[in-house]
Amino acid sequence: MATLDFSFIIPVFNRPGEIRELLDSFVKLEGNLEFEIVIVEDGSTDTSEAIANSFGSKLNISYYFKENSGPGDSRNFGMQKAKGDYFIILDSDVILPSNYLLEVNTFLATNYYDCFGGPDAAHKSFSNLQKAINFAMTSFITTGGIRGGKQQLENFQPRSFNMGLSKKAFMDSGGFGKIHPGEDPDLSLRLKKMGYKTTLIANAYVYHKRRISWSKFYNQVHKFGLVRPILNEWHPNSKSIVYWFPTLFLLGLLISILLLIFDIRLPLYIYLFYLVLAFILALISTKSIIVATQSILAIIIQFLGYGYGFLKSTFALSVLRKKPKEAFPNLFFK
């Protein structure tokens, strides 16, 4: 197929420093492929306009300011303004490797999909905390390695920190909904119902900084857990036992601790074996004892936050029979 015209869509909220780093990585992209950058300021008080303007001589940038309405709506706004026929959506807290656009263009030129997702990785400059959380979020031992991009997957559910979408698919679907987080898998599941195919481009990875503390990481994964039963209700065919694993992990851990009262130790030993294995894999991956140690804490927080959120949301929707917006209004933008 002919070379695509790419438009990068980047919503931003009070993060001018991140935008500078991201735009710096755009300047270093290889391949001389044509692209534009659409920055959508989502009601920020600390804006990125001056940063965007400073790159005006190096990059084709359009900058827009709008009232705060959430990242999904801001992405839709950006795609409506974009001139390309293929949109690549990024979070402001990512950095692109120099071969990123070459990988995307090469893949789509021979394996065209109307929607793709790419994995995330940790840059060597990231903090130990960021590297530990990246391991927890991408390792095979925690998420099956899907987010880490070890394989190409048909019907992959892209995440909007690194997501491609054709103009046709955007126009037909109407783009992202009002829920957040969860707006990205919701869109990919709606596209699937419409007959569009999605995929993972394993080599189109980004460095995802994850601007988070331990408390923010817990809140993030807790929201992920809250959202998944809502998505399962909206898209029943997406239900999977896999989404129960963090909750089952938590319940099993509690039972293992209680069994110590009866001097039954084997279940707890199994959990300890799992954590030791995770530590070894993190140590091999990151080559840092500090990061490997923090990775264990990240895994526990990840399972605790997601598992509890999933259980709470399932109880509210399935037992109390509440509507999603009634049960969790903070997950929805107006």
Side-chain angles (χ1 to χ4, degrees), residues 15 182 238 308:
R15 300 288 176 175
S238 71
Y308 174 55

Side-chain angles (χ1 to χ4, degrees), residues 119-120 133-151 153 156 159 200 210 217 221 224 242-243 245-246 274 278 281 298-299 302-303 306:
D120 54 342
I133 291 175
N134 180 79
F135 176 83
M137 294 291 284
T138 62
S139 173
F140 178 84
I141 202 170
T142 55
T143 61
I146 293 176
R147 292 179 68 102
K150 302 303 181 185
Q151 55 186 324
L153 295 174
F156 178 70
R159 298 299 185 266
L200 172 69
R210 303 186 188 280
F217 179 51
V221 293
F224 290 162
V242 171
Y243 300 129
F245 284 175
Y274 172 83
L281 293 176
I299 291 171
Q302 180 183 1
F303 285 165
Y306 188 102

Side-chain angles (χ1 to χ4, degrees), residues 168-182:
K168 183 178 186 301
F170 167 65
M171 298 297 291
D172 287 351
S173 66
F176 295 94
K178 297 293 186 180
I179 193 171
H180 178 74

Side-chain angles (χ1 to χ4, degrees), residues 75-93:
R75 297 180 194 114
N76 292 343
F77 180 93
M79 287 186 282
Q80 290 167 354
K81 298 292 185 180
K83 301 178 179 64
D85 55 19
Y86 209 99
F87 309 133
I88 300 179
I89 300 153
L90 302 174
D91 278 356
S92 63
D93 65 341

Side-chain angles (χ1 to χ4, degrees), residues 4-202:
L4 292 168
D5 293 322
F6 291 104
S7 295
F8 285 89
I9 313 299
I10 307 167
V12 60
F13 181 71
N14 290 331
R15 300 288 176 175
E18 290 180 350
I19 286 295
R20 182 186 295 278
E21 288 186 284
L22 177 52
L23 293 180
D24 272 331
S25 68
F26 271 110
V27 174
K28 300 171 185 175
L29 285 180
E30 302 167 353
N32 297 317
L33 296 169
E34 294 292 328
F35 63 89
E36 68 165 340
I37 301 170
V38 180
I39 297 175
V40 182
E41 195 84 61
D42 188 24
S44 301
T45 54
D46 187 8
T47 72
S48 304
E49 184 173 11
I51 303 296
N53 290 338
S54 71
F55 282 85
S57 61
K58 301 176 183 179
L59 298 167
N60 178 13
I61 300 178
S62 299
Y63 173 89
Y64 298 94
F65 184 94
K66 54 178 278 299
E67 292 185 2
N68 179 256
S69 58
D73 189 61
S74 295
R75 297 180 194 114
N76 292 343
F77 180 93
M79 287 186 282
Q80 290 167 354
K81 298 292 185 180
K83 301 178 179 64
D85 55 19
Y86 209 99
F87 309 133
I88 300 179
I89 300 153
L90 302 174
D91 278 356
S92 63
D93 65 341
V94 305
I95 300 172
L96 298 180
S98 60
N99 64 335
Y100 176 85
L101 191 53
L102 277 177
E103 293 289 351
V104 171
N105 189 67
T106 300
F107 183 95
L108 293 177
T110 55
N111 307 274
Y112 183 80
Y113 285 81
D114 284 282
C115 183
F116 78 84
D120 54 342
H123 193 269
K124 60 182 180 181
S125 66
F126 287 4
S127 70
N128 290 335
L129 171 61
Q130 290 169 324
K131 291 176 181 177
I133 291 175
N134 180 79
F135 176 83
M137 294 291 284
T138 62
S139 173
F140 178 84
I141 202 170
T142 55
T143 61
I146 293 176
R147 292 179 68 102
K150 302 303 181 185
Q151 55 186 324
Q152 294 178 10
L153 295 174
E154 289 276 344
N155 299 319
F156 178 70
Q157 294 179 19
R159 298 299 185 266
S160 51
F161 64 83
N162 181 14
M163 179 180 185
L165 185 67
S166 71
K167 183 175 183 178
K168 183 178 186 301
F170 167 65
M171 298 297 291
D172 287 351
S173 66
F176 295 94
K178 297 293 186 180
I179 193 171
H180 178 74
E183 72 275 17
D184 28 21
D186 171 58
L187 174 56
S188 62
L189 289 167
R190 285 191 283 115
L191 287 171
K192 182 180 178 181
K193 290 179 182 178
M194 299 171 66
Y196 288 99
K197 292 184 178 181
T198 64
T199 192
L200 172 69
I201 304 181

